[in-house]
Short mmCIF file of all heavy atoms in Angstrom, two decimals:
data_model
loop_
_atom_site.label_atom_id
_atom_site.label_comp_id
_atom_site.label_asym_id
_atom_site.label_seq_id
_atom_site.Cartn_x
_atom_site.Cartn_y
_atom_site.Cartn_z
N LEU A 131 -19.45 -20.17 21.39
CA LEU A 131 -19.21 -19.46 22.64
C LEU A 131 -18.49 -20.39 23.61
O LEU A 131 -18.71 -21.59 23.62
CB LEU A 131 -20.54 -19.03 23.27
CG LEU A 131 -21.38 -18.00 22.53
CD1 LEU A 131 -22.73 -17.89 23.20
CD2 LEU A 131 -20.70 -16.65 22.51
N SER A 132 -17.64 -19.80 24.43
CA SER A 132 -17.01 -20.58 25.47
C SER A 132 -18.05 -20.91 26.53
O SER A 132 -19.15 -20.34 26.56
CB SER A 132 -15.86 -19.80 26.10
OG SER A 132 -16.38 -18.67 26.80
N ALA A 133 -17.70 -21.82 27.45
CA ALA A 133 -18.63 -22.18 28.52
C ALA A 133 -18.99 -20.94 29.35
O ALA A 133 -20.15 -20.75 29.75
CB ALA A 133 -18.02 -23.26 29.41
N ARG A 134 -17.99 -20.08 29.61
CA ARG A 134 -18.27 -18.86 30.38
C ARG A 134 -19.21 -17.94 29.63
O ARG A 134 -20.16 -17.38 30.20
CB ARG A 134 -16.94 -18.13 30.67
CG ARG A 134 -17.14 -16.82 31.43
CD ARG A 134 -15.81 -16.08 31.57
NE ARG A 134 -15.30 -15.63 30.29
CZ ARG A 134 -15.71 -14.52 29.68
NH1 ARG A 134 -16.65 -13.76 30.22
NH2 ARG A 134 -15.19 -14.16 28.53
N GLN A 135 -18.97 -17.78 28.32
CA GLN A 135 -19.82 -16.89 27.53
C GLN A 135 -21.24 -17.42 27.43
O GLN A 135 -22.21 -16.67 27.45
CB GLN A 135 -19.20 -16.71 26.15
CG GLN A 135 -17.90 -15.94 26.16
CD GLN A 135 -17.16 -16.02 24.84
OE1 GLN A 135 -17.32 -16.96 24.08
NE2 GLN A 135 -16.34 -15.02 24.56
N GLN A 136 -21.38 -18.75 27.30
CA GLN A 136 -22.72 -19.34 27.27
C GLN A 136 -23.46 -19.06 28.57
O GLN A 136 -24.65 -18.73 28.56
CB GLN A 136 -22.62 -20.85 27.04
CG GLN A 136 -22.11 -21.24 25.65
CD GLN A 136 -21.85 -22.72 25.55
OE1 GLN A 136 -22.57 -23.53 26.12
NE2 GLN A 136 -20.79 -23.08 24.83
N ALA A 137 -22.74 -19.18 29.67
CA ALA A 137 -23.37 -18.93 30.97
C ALA A 137 -23.79 -17.47 31.11
O ALA A 137 -24.82 -17.16 31.72
CB ALA A 137 -22.40 -19.30 32.10
N GLU A 138 -22.99 -16.56 30.52
CA GLU A 138 -23.33 -15.15 30.60
C GLU A 138 -24.64 -14.85 29.88
O GLU A 138 -25.39 -13.95 30.26
CB GLU A 138 -22.21 -14.30 29.99
CG GLU A 138 -20.96 -14.24 30.88
CD GLU A 138 -19.83 -13.51 30.21
OE1 GLU A 138 -20.00 -13.12 29.03
OE2 GLU A 138 -18.78 -13.32 30.85
N ILE A 139 -24.93 -15.60 28.81
CA ILE A 139 -26.16 -15.38 28.06
C ILE A 139 -27.32 -16.18 28.63
O ILE A 139 -28.40 -15.65 28.90
CB ILE A 139 -25.97 -15.75 26.57
CG1 ILE A 139 -24.97 -14.80 25.91
CG2 ILE A 139 -27.29 -15.71 25.83
CD1 ILE A 139 -24.69 -15.12 24.47
N PHE A 140 -27.09 -17.48 28.84
CA PHE A 140 -28.19 -18.38 29.17
C PHE A 140 -28.36 -18.62 30.66
O PHE A 140 -29.31 -19.29 31.07
CB PHE A 140 -27.99 -19.73 28.46
CG PHE A 140 -27.84 -19.59 26.97
CD1 PHE A 140 -26.66 -19.92 26.34
CD2 PHE A 140 -28.89 -19.12 26.20
CE1 PHE A 140 -26.52 -19.79 24.96
CE2 PHE A 140 -28.76 -18.98 24.83
CZ PHE A 140 -27.57 -19.32 24.21
N GLY A 141 -27.44 -18.10 31.48
CA GLY A 141 -27.57 -18.27 32.92
C GLY A 141 -26.60 -19.31 33.45
O GLY A 141 -26.08 -20.14 32.72
N ARG A 142 -26.36 -19.25 34.74
CA ARG A 142 -25.38 -20.13 35.36
C ARG A 142 -25.82 -21.59 35.35
O ARG A 142 -25.02 -22.49 35.53
CB ARG A 142 -25.11 -19.69 36.80
CG ARG A 142 -24.49 -18.30 36.87
CD ARG A 142 -23.13 -18.27 36.20
NE ARG A 142 -22.65 -16.90 36.00
CZ ARG A 142 -21.55 -16.58 35.37
NH1 ARG A 142 -20.80 -17.53 34.86
NH2 ARG A 142 -21.19 -15.33 35.24
N TRP A 144 -26.87 -23.06 32.80
CA TRP A 144 -26.63 -23.58 31.45
C TRP A 144 -25.47 -24.57 31.47
O TRP A 144 -24.47 -24.38 32.12
CB TRP A 144 -26.31 -22.43 30.50
CG TRP A 144 -25.97 -22.86 29.11
CD1 TRP A 144 -24.73 -23.02 28.58
CD2 TRP A 144 -26.89 -23.19 28.07
NE1 TRP A 144 -24.83 -23.42 27.27
CE2 TRP A 144 -26.14 -23.54 26.93
CE3 TRP A 144 -28.28 -23.23 27.99
CZ2 TRP A 144 -26.73 -23.92 25.74
CZ3 TRP A 144 -28.87 -23.60 26.81
CH2 TRP A 144 -28.10 -23.94 25.70
N ALA A 146 -22.66 -26.76 29.20
CA ALA A 146 -21.95 -26.69 27.92
C ALA A 146 -22.33 -27.86 27.02
O ALA A 146 -22.32 -27.72 25.79
CB ALA A 146 -20.44 -26.68 28.16
N ASP A 174 -18.62 -8.55 25.53
CA ASP A 174 -18.96 -8.93 26.90
C ASP A 174 -20.18 -8.17 27.38
O ASP A 174 -21.06 -8.72 28.06
CB ASP A 174 -17.78 -8.66 27.83
CG ASP A 174 -16.60 -9.58 27.57
OD1 ASP A 174 -16.81 -10.64 26.92
OD2 ASP A 174 -15.48 -9.27 27.99
N ARG A 177 -23.33 -9.63 25.70
CA ARG A 177 -23.71 -10.91 26.30
C ARG A 177 -24.41 -10.69 27.63
O ARG A 177 -25.42 -11.33 27.93
CB ARG A 177 -22.48 -11.78 26.48
CG ARG A 177 -21.95 -12.39 25.19
CD ARG A 177 -20.96 -13.50 25.48
NE ARG A 177 -19.77 -13.03 26.16
CZ ARG A 177 -18.68 -12.59 25.55
NH1 ARG A 177 -18.64 -12.56 24.22
NH2 ARG A 177 -17.63 -12.18 26.22
#
Side-chain angles (χ1 to χ4, degrees):
L131 294 171
S132 67
R134 178 186 66 82
Q135 292 168 335
Q136 292 172 36
E138 287 175 356
I139 294 178
F140 304 115
R142 296 297 167 184
W144 177 261
D174 291 342
R177 286 194 296 271

